[in-house]
Amino acid sequence: ETHDMAGAVLLPGFVDLHTHLREPGREDTETVATGSAAAARGGYTAVFAMANTQPPQDNQTVTDSVWRIGRSVGLCDIHPVGAVTVGLKGEQLTEMGQMASGEARVRVFSDDGMCVYDPLVMRRALEYSAGLGVLIAQHAEEPRLTKGAVAHEGPTAARLGLTGWPRSAEESIVARDAILARDAGARVHICHASTTGTVELLKWAKAQGISITAEVTPHHLLLDDTRLETYDGVYRVNPPLREAHDTLALRDALVSGVIDCVATDHAPHAAQEKCCEFAAARPGMLGLETALPIVAALLVESGEMSWRDLARVMSTRPAEIAGLTDQGRPIEVGEPANLAVVDPDSPWTVVGEELASLSANTPYQGMTFAARVVGTVYRGRMTSRDGEVLA
Ligand code: DOR
Ligand code: ZN
Ligand code: ZN
């Protein structure tokens, strides 16, 4: 039975600045096609595909190839994120200029899964990016503070005997990069902000006039580290789930604009990579198909945000940050539309195996949410309807 759209809310198509598709390299866990299908079901019409593929997206051949596959799948715009350094943990900067002027027109660069750690490399990358007018998105993690760490450093990790990942590992890099961006005259974007302290640093940096933006994931808004008591590997993620006060600070920051937008950090993994004991599981969780219901539950149903605010944090603001020209402004009459249609009151229960993603590692298994995406329109064509992907 098709939804008659009664009571539905019409929003601009969502833009995800942070998705991991696993093509090339791990097509057994996600491909551009299956990730695009997950995006369509989630109300997304543009996703930024992170650089830590195998091989990494560190040259124009790879970025143009991912972009072309996205075009041929045709379910949403797939914007490859370029790697900042050669080989993901290198010191040598990539040819960002070539990737930016290639067919894919790469607008965002990151070494996700690996912080651009060396301050000299980060400084040079920021200077280069400022000249090109592109954005560096930083996975903020001081690796010397996270060696062997699998969980947020705090009472839960201590009780469970898990090696802790301190807040300072994130905050020290956020502070450093704000200052490096200021001095380079560059913009910097902080991926998956996860702590109260990061929120304070973003407030400070923005008050100084530094060009800094930040995203937060649905899982860092909703979940805290008490989930780890089951030792279920599905809850392992980088940065780790923090404490309840962090989730509240992140929600407030998103409402006030200190954090600019929501990004999923959609990270598919094979079942055997997540089923093992907590410390052996791969970090990362699915996000594209569950982002809207979570943000709606936490912020719209609670009365803290309007639907207009939700459209800002899930569509127009991320489009603006990435420099998408066709989505950072209201839709014009006569343009091919990118839209998400949401039923605010159509409860559904998450079942990992039923998701369009090739993987099933959702931390929301069995949870029921009130809001659901009932339709997605991409470039004037319906790409999903009532949870069904329309090829
Ligand atoms: O949890 C994570 N998963 N964090 C990252 O930084 C990388 C990502 C992945 O690629 O699976
Ligand atoms: Zn990351
Ligand atoms: Zn990521």
Side-chain angles (χ1 to χ4, degrees), residues 97-154:
Q98 281 180 9
M99 289 186 265
S101 58
E103 216 180 328
R105 308 201 63 80
V106 177
R107 299 163 167 90
V108 181
F109 290 86
S110 179
D111 273 12
D112 197 83
M114 182 60 65
C115 181
V116 182
Y117 170 56
D118 185 312
L120 187 57
V121 173
M122 187 59 177
R123 177 177 151 159
R124 284 167 41 228
L126 286 166
E127 287 168 354
Y128 189 5
S129 74
L132 288 171
V134 298
L135 179 70
I136 305 265
Q138 175 70 296
H139 168 109
E141 174 187 347
E142 156 64 84
R144 294 190 189 183
L145 291 173
T146 61
K147 212 173 228 160
V150 296
H152 168 66
E153 181 180 275

Side-chain angles (χ1 to χ4, degrees), residues 49-101:
M50 271 295 164
N52 63 335
T53 50
Q54 301 164 19
Q57 290 167 182
D58 63 1
N59 65 79
Q60 200 199 327
T61 306
V62 183
T63 51
D64 279 355
S65 150
V66 168
W67 185 85
R68 275 192 217 120
I69 298 166
R71 287 295 297 217
S72 73
V73 170
L75 288 170
C76 66
D77 287 338
I78 301 293
H79 296 285
V81 173
V84 175
T85 60
V86 175
L88 284 179
K89 38 190 152 198
E91 307 219 320
Q92 189 195 330
L93 297 184
T94 55
E95 295 289 350
M96 290 193 233
Q98 281 180 9
M99 289 186 265
S101 58

Side-chain angles (χ1 to χ4, degrees), residues 249-264:
L250 293 166
R251 292 177 207 174
D252 283 350
L254 188 61
V255 170
S256 70
V258 169
I259 290 177
D260 297 82
C261 63
V262 172
T264 66

Side-chain angles (χ1 to χ4, degrees), residues 291-303 307 310 314 342 344 371:
L292 177 279
I294 293 170
V295 177
L298 291 175
L299 296 167
V300 180
E301 289 158 33
S302 68
W307 287 106
L310 182 139
M314 292 190 67
V342 172

Side-chain angles (χ1 to χ4, degrees), residues 340-365:
V341 188
V342 172
D343 186 335
D345 189 18
S346 176
W348 69 291
T349 301
V350 180
V351 179
E353 293 69 27
E354 291 173 2
L355 299 173
S357 172
L358 199 47
S359 294
N361 54 304
T362 175
Y364 314 111
Q365 182 82 359

